[in-house]
Amino acid sequence: MCDTINILFLGGAKRVSMARHFKAAARAVGMELELYSYELTSREPIAEEACVIEGRRWNSPYVVDELRQICRRLNIRAVVPFVDGAVAVAAALADVTFVPAPDADLAETMFDKVKAAALFESLDLPVPETCRDGIFRHPLIAKPRHGSASKGLIFIESQAQLDAFPDPDNYLIQRHILSREEITVDCYVDTHTGEPLIISPRIRLEVSG
């Protein structure tokens, strides 16, 4: 009889083929996999391969406590986040199960563009200049500090626009690099050695925003 392992996806709504790969990998090592997926609604494609648990939005103050209870009740052995907002949530569950995510503090920093830019600058990484004193070379680009997929970007072409910019504390304002090729890289890093096991680079051609 095969052992059974329970895994919980966070935001795995359309990851049907990924779920099938997980199940095939489990069978290859003599195990059966019981998959669950935490979603806003039960009407998601992942329901073909997983038991969908209807839950809260990632920014809910109750989502981490609810997921801790789910992990304990269902004996979840690993939580796998699939969307940006779920990464910091998953990181906060490291005290109850395995999560392939950075620690909670680093996850919070990386999903706050202002904090992330400050971290990159402290490490002397080559990043666009950040506007901090209200006077800067134009053009500029303002990014919502907790946004993703290029949604909500605002282009600033003049000092007058910058002076009149509403709510600057909730944006990262940087030099707009007009001539560029954008490359995005996903990595999977070994949690024990810190070494990257898989690196997936590609040229970004299109974003949701």
Side-chain angles (χ1 to χ4, degrees):
M1 182 176 179
C2 292
D3 290 334
T4 300
I5 185 172
N6 297 341
I7 290 180
L8 175 65
F9 286 0
L10 300 184
K14 299 177 181 178
R15 305 314 200 276
V16 177
S17 62
M18 180 66 77
R20 290 170 181 161
H21 282 300
F22 266 66
K23 289 182 177 180
R27 287 193 296 271
V29 294
M31 303 186 76
E32 288 296 327
L33 177 61
E34 190 71 37
L35 271 180
Y36 300 85
S37 196
Y38 188 81
E39 309 292 339
L40 286 176
T41 76
S42 60
R43 300 181 301 277
E44 301 292 349
I46 192 65
E48 289 187 18
E49 296 291 337
C51 175
V52 173
I53 301 171
E54 290 192 55
R56 306 173 189 271
R57 295 189 180 276
W58 308 124
N59 60 359
S60 166
Y62 308 106
V63 68
V64 172
D65 286 342
E66 181 174 83
L67 285 167
R68 281 201 179 102
Q69 293 173 17
I70 290 170
C71 288
R72 293 187 177 110
R73 175 167 52 86
L74 297 176
N75 190 28
I76 297 296
R77 297 287 299 278
V79 170
V80 184
F82 282 96
V83 292
D84 288 353
V87 174
V89 171
L93 301 173
D95 59 331
V96 293
T97 189
F98 170 75
V99 291
D103 66 73
D105 288 341
L106 181 58
E108 180 187 354
T109 295
M110 296 309 295
F111 288 105
D112 181 328
K113 290 183 174 62
V114 172
K115 291 182 179 180
L119 174 61
F120 298 154
E121 290 167 0
S122 74
L123 298 172
D124 292 325
L125 295 176
V127 295
E129 299 164 86
T130 298
C131 176
R132 290 194 172 90
D133 56 9
I135 301 174
F136 210 78
R137 289 183 296 163
H138 300 280
L140 301 174
I141 186 169
K143 309 172 186 178
R145 64 185 295 172
H146 296 107
S148 64
S150 295
K151 296 177 182 177
L153 300 185
I154 299 173
F155 299 100
I156 302 172
E157 304 290 343
S158 68
Q159 186 64 42
Q161 275 185 279
L162 180 60
D163 292 340
F165 190 82
D167 200 19
D169 290 342
N170 284 317
Y171 286 82
L172 171 65
I173 303 177
Q174 289 183 318
R175 182 82 184 278
H176 184 199
I177 309 300
L178 296 173
S179 178
R180 82 282 182 193
E181 182 173 63
E182 185 175 355
I183 296 174
T184 181
V185 183
D186 286 337
C187 302
Y188 185 84
V189 180
D190 188 293
T191 56
H192 300 293
T193 67
E195 294 295 319
L197 302 180
I198 298 172
I199 300 172
S200 174
R202 62 251 183 218
I203 297 172
R204 176 168 284 166
L205 302 177
E206 185 177 273
V207 291
S208 297

